């Protein structure tokens, strides 16, 4: 084995060359401890790699003095003709390390740099590479994740909200979409200021210390809890309609048919809460997005082929209903608690703003189109869940009902992800990864069963959804992102932007207060009516 250590300006590159003599060769693992003026190298037997005899393998381990563990490690065979993307990325990082080392060596020896790029550009590339190594999600992958996070229950309620508030309320919906996209953008700016921030609560702590983190965490858990209650109510309502003509009963269970069906569906979705990272549940985002497109297409087919005429007149404005429906609109754009995780999972975080613009634009177009289509087709009889208004005998209706029932099942893991990440972070570092996974999964499972019980007890979809939007989502999506941005970036914000952010905070507070009061009154009124009846 040949070992060569190169050191300059606190950057270490170790080149290890090992010749394979047998079918399975053990490659020595190089563990490095880096200090300002000393490099200690020790070898430990470790990583095994299989391959044919007579091949030469080259290992490049790039370390920065601020990390005791290498940023990247790659093995490359001169005889291999195929390289996957991971290997290519690692080679790129290794080359960057060597380029930076050369520039640093020139500066260390007070020589003119003869490298292809300046030291400053090396630092920029190195910084960009650190961002690159944070995640591996492409632009398209990130758009799918964010759009899938946005589109869900919101599309079901937009026709009802438009009919209830009048067609002029569409301007409120579009305006809230623009505001929430901007707030997504400034969350990315806050993350840029402190690369150590990895979650929404980290941003809250960066801005307002422990109190900021506590308030942000409280709102996040409230939104997750209430959103999952709304998802489960939707699941219950649609499954009940799907199996309306089916007899289903278990003698020992004191539950109705719809309650038993909902329980079974929740149990099917339960294992998804045990998945650990966003990359492993990204297919759930795509599944939710696909189901949303199916629902949209089914509603359109109802008007085109189902014999339902779009001849209802939508009122211009019902001002007294605006406070109640504002919560429905703002909930449609809720998802900001996951956006920091999506940002960190991106291969190129500098494109986060573009991802936000594209995702919110797609969501708003779908919401507006479906809202007008549903309100014109069903008029005052439109249900808070558009799928429940469609003629039950149509095949497209059955498809839409099934798609609506499946959508909440794809959302459970994504909605629970921020809480699960925070839970694992608070567990002792000495605890094994397997134990943390068991605790995470158990807590999520118990929480989901509690949510199921609550959803079956308060089956008022539109009022629970509106209350969630007005009480919690408006704070997470608008008020707090603006407050965080003002606090963290105060010295670099222009006067017009300062005015804009203060205005958005005031607008969010006003909308939240009136919406919470209105939706709470309606929810209490319907609960009292149900108990008295």
């Amino acid at each position: 084995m040949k070992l060569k250590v190169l050191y300059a300006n606190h950057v270490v590159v170790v080149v290890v060359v090992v010749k394979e003599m047998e079918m399975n060769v053990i490659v020595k693992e190089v563990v490095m401890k880096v200090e300002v003026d000393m490099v200690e190298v020790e070898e430990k037997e470790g990583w095994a790699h299989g391959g044919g005899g007579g091949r030469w393998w080259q290992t490049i381990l790039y370390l920065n003095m601020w990390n005791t563990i290498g940023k990247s490690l790659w093995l490359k065979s001169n005889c291999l003709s195929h390289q996957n993307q991971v290997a290519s990325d690692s080679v790129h990082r290794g080359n960057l390390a060597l380029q930076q080392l050369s520039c640093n060596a020139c500066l260390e020896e007070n020589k003119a740099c003869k490298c292809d790029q300046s030291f400053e550009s090396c630092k920029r590339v190195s910084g960009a590479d650190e961002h690159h190594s944070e995640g591996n999600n492409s632009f398209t992958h990130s758009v799918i994740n964010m759009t899938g996070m946005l589109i869900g229950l919101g599309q079901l309620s937009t026709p009802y909200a438009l009919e209830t508030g009048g067609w002029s309320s569409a301007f409120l919906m579009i305006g809230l979409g623009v505001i929430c996209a901007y707030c997504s953008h400034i969350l990315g700016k806050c993350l840029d200021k402190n690369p150590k921030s990895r979650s929404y609560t980290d941003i809250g702590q960066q801005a307002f210390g422990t109190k900021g983190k506590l308030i942000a965490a409280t709102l996040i858990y409230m939104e997750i809890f209430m959103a999952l209650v709304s998802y489960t109510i939707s699941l219950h309502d649609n499954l009940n309609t799907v199996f309306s003509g089916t007899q289903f009963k278990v003698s020992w269970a004191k539950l109705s048919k719809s309650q038993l069906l909902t329980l079974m569906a929740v149990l099917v979705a339960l294992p998804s809460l045990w998945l650990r990272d966003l990359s492993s549940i990204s297919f759930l985002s795509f599944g939710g997005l696909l189901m949303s497109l199916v629902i949209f297409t089914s509603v359109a087919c109802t008007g085109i082929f189902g014999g339902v005429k779009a001849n209802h007149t939508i009122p211009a404005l019902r001002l007294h209903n605006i406070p109640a429906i504002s919560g429905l609109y703002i909930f449609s754009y809720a998802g900001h608690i996951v956006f920091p995780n999506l940002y960190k999972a991106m291969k190129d975080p500098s494109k986060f703003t573009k991802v936000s613009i594209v995702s919110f634009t797609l969501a708003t177009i779908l919401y507006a189109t479906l809202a007008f289509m549903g309100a014109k087709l069903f008029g005052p009889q439109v249900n808070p869940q558009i799928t429940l208004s469609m003629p039950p005998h149509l095949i497209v209706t059955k498809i839409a009902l099934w798609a609506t029932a499946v959508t909440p099942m794809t959302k459970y893991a994504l909605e629970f992800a921020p809480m699960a990440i925070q839970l694992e972070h608070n567990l002792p570092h000495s605890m094994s990864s397997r134990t943390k996974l068991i605790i995470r999964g158990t807590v999520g499972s118990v929480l989901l069963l509690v949510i199921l019980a609550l959803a079956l007890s308060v089956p008022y979809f539109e009022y629970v959804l509106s209350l969630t939007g007005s009480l919690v989502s408006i704070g997470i999506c608008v008020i707090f992102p603006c407050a965080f941005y003002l606090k963290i970036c105060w010295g670099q914000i222009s006067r017009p932007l300062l005015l804009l952010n203060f205005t958005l905070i005031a607008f969010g507070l006003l909308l939240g207060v009136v919406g919470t009061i209105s939706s709470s009154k309606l929810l209490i009124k319907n609960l009292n009516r149900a108990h008295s009846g």
Side-chain angles (χ1 to χ4, degrees), residues 71 129-136 195 198 343-346 349:
K71 284 289 184 183
D129 190 62
E130 282 190 16
H131 278 293
H132 176 84
S133 64
E134 284 284 325
N136 57 5
R198 304 190 64 85
Y343 175 94
K344 288 295 182 180
M346 288 185 65

Side-chain angles (χ1 to χ4, degrees), residues 360-386:
F360 276 91
T361 300
L362 291 174
T364 302
I365 291 173
L366 186 142
Y367 289 153
T369 305
L370 188 61
F372 279 97
M373 190 162 50
K376 289 292 288 182
L377 285 172
F378 305 110
Q381 286 74 43
V382 66
N383 194 281
Q385 299 181 68
I386 184 63

Side-chain angles (χ1 to χ4, degrees), residues 194-265:
N194 185 7
K196 292 183 180 179
S197 295
R198 304 190 64 85
S199 65
Y200 195 94
T201 53
D202 287 344
I203 299 175
Q205 185 173 27
Q206 180 186 354
F208 299 106
T210 305
K211 290 182 179 179
K213 182 176 182 178
L214 181 62
I215 294 173
T218 302
L219 284 177
I220 285 174
Y221 298 149
M222 286 178 62
E223 184 182 55
I224 291 173
F225 188 84
M226 296 178 72
L228 290 179
V229 170
S230 300
Y231 280 124
T232 310
I233 294 173
S234 174
L235 179 65
H236 168 268
D237 294 344
N238 283 275
L239 283 178
N240 188 39
T241 305
V242 168
F243 294 97
S244 58
T246 305
Q247 295 297 324
F248 186 80
K249 189 175 182 180
V250 179
S251 57
W252 51 267
K254 297 181 180 180
L255 296 173
S256 65
K257 179 188 70 176
S258 60
Q259 290 174 333
L260 280 172
L261 289 170
T262 308
L263 174 61
M264 291 170 61

Side-chain angles (χ1 to χ4, degrees), residues 135-406:
N136 57 5
N137 286 358
S138 65
F139 178 86
T140 304
H141 193 174
S142 300
V143 169
I144 291 174
N145 268 341
M146 185 176 287
T147 307
M149 193 67 229
L150 291 173
I151 297 177
L153 291 183
Q155 69 170 344
L156 299 180
S157 61
T158 49
Y160 169 81
L162 190 74
E163 172 65 29
T164 304
W167 61 261
S168 299
S169 67
F171 292 106
L172 174 62
M173 175 178 62
I174 296 171
L176 286 172
V178 173
I179 291 172
C180 289
Y182 168 75
C183 291
S184 175
H185 158 72
I186 60 179
L187 281 177
K189 291 293 185 183
C190 293
L191 291 168
D192 283 339
K193 292 290 290 183
N194 185 7
K196 292 183 180 179
S197 295
R198 304 190 64 85
S199 65
Y200 195 94
T201 53
D202 287 344
I203 299 175
Q205 185 173 27
Q206 180 186 354
F208 299 106
T210 305
K211 290 182 179 179
K213 182 176 182 178
L214 181 62
I215 294 173
T218 302
L219 284 177
I220 285 174
Y221 298 149
M222 286 178 62
E223 184 182 55
I224 291 173
F225 188 84
M226 296 178 72
L228 290 179
V229 170
S230 300
Y231 280 124
T232 310
I233 294 173
S234 174
L235 179 65
H236 168 268
D237 294 344
N238 283 275
L239 283 178
N240 188 39
T241 305
V242 168
F243 294 97
S244 58
T246 305
Q247 295 297 324
F248 186 80
K249 189 175 182 180
V250 179
S251 57
W252 51 267
K254 297 181 180 180
L255 296 173
S256 65
K257 179 188 70 176
S258 60
Q259 290 174 333
L260 280 172
L261 289 170
T262 308
L263 174 61
M264 291 170 61
V266 168
L267 291 177
V268 170
L270 207 58
S272 65
L273 298 182
W274 292 70
L275 298 176
R276 169 157 265 144
D277 59 273
L278 283 176
S279 62
S280 64
I281 61 177
S282 59
F283 71 93
L284 294 179
S285 291
F286 181 75
L289 182 59
L290 181 61
M291 293 300 101
S292 298
L293 295 176
V294 169
I295 294 169
F296 178 84
T297 305
S298 300
V299 175
C301 290
T302 300
I304 299 172
F305 307 110
V308 180
K309 296 182 179 180
N311 55 4
H312 291 278
T313 302
I314 306 173
L317 180 64
R318 291 173 174 168
L319 192 60
H320 61 285
N321 289 333
I322 294 297
I325 66 165
S326 63
L328 296 176
Y329 283 147
I330 191 64
F331 182 85
S332 300
Y333 297 108
H336 291 62
I337 56 176
V338 181
F339 291 171
N341 303 102
L342 297 180
Y343 175 94
K344 288 295 182 180
M346 288 185 65
K347 187 182 298 183
D348 183 4
S350 65
K351 295 182 180 178
F352 181 74
T353 297
K354 292 181 180 179
V355 169
S356 300
I357 293 172
V358 172
S359 300
F360 276 91
T361 300
L362 291 174
T364 302
I365 291 173
L366 186 142
Y367 289 153
T369 305
L370 188 61
F372 279 97
M373 190 162 50
K376 289 292 288 182
L377 285 172
F378 305 110
Q381 286 74 43
V382 66
N383 194 281
Q385 299 181 68
I386 184 63
T387 52
L388 301 180
S389 297
M390 298 168 64
H393 63 279
L394 297 178
I395 295 178
V396 291
T397 300
K398 299 182 186 302
I399 294 174
L401 288 170
W402 272 111
T404 308
V406 170

Side-chain angles (χ1 to χ4, degrees), residues 505-521:
I505 292 174
F507 173 74
L509 287 171
L510 176 63
L511 208 61
V513 169
V514 297
T516 299
I517 293 173
S518 178
S519 55
S520 297
K521 285 183 177 179

